[in-house]
Amino acid sequence: MNVLIVHAHPIPESFNHAIVAAARRGLEAAQHTVTTLDLYALGYQAVMSDDEWQAYESLSPVRDPMVAEHVELVRSSQAIVFIYPTWWSAMPAIMRGWMERTMLMGVAFDLNESRRKLIPRLTQVRHLIGVSTHGSPWWYVKLVNDNGRRMISRTLRFNTGLRTKVSWHALYALDRRSPQKREKFLMRIESEMRNLR
């Protein structure tokens, strides 16, 4: 299975990078083909240009060569894994920008012209997986809403079809977690990815 990991954290020594490494170990142990997009390391431009906005509903909405490369990776993936820290109750802006510039009409979905109804185009995606860390405890995240999770598990899922399996893994109150608890979480992620079918 082709698996795309989309990752957003600016510090290479971060716990989020350790999560990516654990996910890769598990996926590669299961003989999946893994591609990782480290958005910060790529210098990804999160802001949609005026040209991209003007072309948004055209037959050729992709204007940037890097975006074109990412579109092809999305189209060829059977599983997409998002790994990121939750900041301000949402995914980092660079990942949100990636979603806006990559999950375009004609790529992720089409619209029925008469009814403006969404038609999914990413029906080859069998798994959407989210892994996020939170500085806040579980109860606070539930209180203020987990917007990144909703975007992936609900909005993006409409573009893949309702048969797509969604799984979510969150580590809450990260700053208060012991090294042992962090290691346990990494082992859990590696195990979940190893068992992905």
Side-chain angles (χ1 to χ4, degrees), residues 50-63:
D50 182 59
D51 186 38
E52 288 172 314
W53 178 247
Q54 296 298 326
Y56 186 78
E57 291 193 21
S58 75
L59 296 175
S60 302
V62 179
R63 301 297 197 202

Side-chain angles (χ1 to χ4, degrees), residues 19 21-27 29 183-196:
I19 295 171
R24 282 193 68 97
R25 283 194 303 273
L27 291 165
E183 185 60 30
K184 186 176 179 181
F185 185 78
L186 294 176
M187 290 171 63
R188 183 177 126 208
I189 296 302
E190 184 174 343
S191 175
E192 291 284 338
M193 297 300 137
R194 190 182 293 113
N195 293 319
L196 189 68

Side-chain angles (χ1 to χ4, degrees), residues 8 28 59 67 73 92-93 101 135 141 143-144 160 164 171 191:
E28 289 169 356
L59 296 175
V67 173
L73 288 169
R101 296 181 72 213
V141 173
L143 181 67
V144 299
T160 62
T164 300
L171 185 61
S191 175

Side-chain angles (χ1 to χ4, degrees), residues 7 24 45 48 54-55 61 81 84 86 92 98 115 126 158 165 178 180 185 191-192 197:
H7 174 233
R24 282 193 68 97
Q45 297 299 311
M48 186 180 286
Q54 296 298 326
V81 182
Y84 64 92
T86 294
W98 185 87
R115 295 168 44 205
R126 303 199 316 253
F158 280 122
K165 295 178 183 173
S178 67
Q180 293 80 11
F185 185 78
S191 175
E192 291 284 338
R197 299 287 179 266

Side-chain angles (χ1 to χ4, degrees), residues 2-179:
N2 291 330
V3 181
L4 178 63
I5 297 175
V6 185
H7 174 233
H9 198 290
I11 302 171
E13 300 79 22
S14 69
F15 185 67
N16 268 253
H17 276 80
I19 295 171
V20 173
R24 282 193 68 97
R25 283 194 303 273
L27 291 165
E28 289 169 356
Q31 303 297 308
H32 297 304
T33 302
V34 185
T35 303
T36 302
L37 298 178
D38 183 337
L39 300 179
Y40 280 99
L42 289 170
Y44 188 83
Q45 297 299 311
V47 179
M48 186 180 286
S49 70
D50 182 59
D51 186 38
E52 288 172 314
W53 178 247
Q54 296 298 326
Y56 186 78
E57 291 193 21
S58 75
L59 296 175
S60 302
V62 179
R63 301 297 197 202
D64 183 301
M66 184 184 288
V67 173
E69 181 183 330
H70 295 185
V71 163
E72 291 310 310
L73 288 169
V74 167
R75 285 177 168 157
S76 66
S77 296
Q78 287 78 51
I80 306 175
V81 182
F82 295 89
I83 301 174
Y84 64 92
T86 294
W87 294 333
W88 284 91
S89 304
M91 59 181 57
I94 195 170
M95 184 173 279
R96 171 65 187 259
W98 185 87
M99 297 282 270
E100 291 177 356
R101 296 181 72 213
T102 305
M103 299 300 180
L104 299 162
M105 187 165 63
V107 175
F109 64 95
D110 284 319
L111 285 178
N112 178 302
E113 287 300 322
S114 61
R115 295 168 44 205
R116 299 296 281 184
K117 181 181 176 183
L118 186 143
I119 303 166
R121 286 193 63 137
L122 297 177
T123 54
Q124 86 287 351
V125 176
R126 303 199 316 253
H127 298 275
L128 289 174
I129 302 162
V131 185
S132 188
T133 56
H134 301 261
S136 302
W138 174 87
W139 64 266
Y140 182 82
V141 173
K142 292 297 180 186
L143 181 67
V144 299
N145 208 343
D146 192 345
N147 293 304
R149 181 175 183 169
R150 289 170 62 99
M151 182 182 294
I152 293 165
S153 63
R154 294 185 187 182
T155 308
L156 182 56
R157 190 174 182 213
F158 280 122
N159 297 291
T160 62
L162 297 179
R163 292 184 179 174
T164 300
K165 295 178 183 173
V166 176
S167 58
W168 204 265
H169 311 280
L171 185 61
Y172 301 99
L174 174 63
D175 297 337
R176 296 193 291 278
R177 296 294 176 187
S178 67

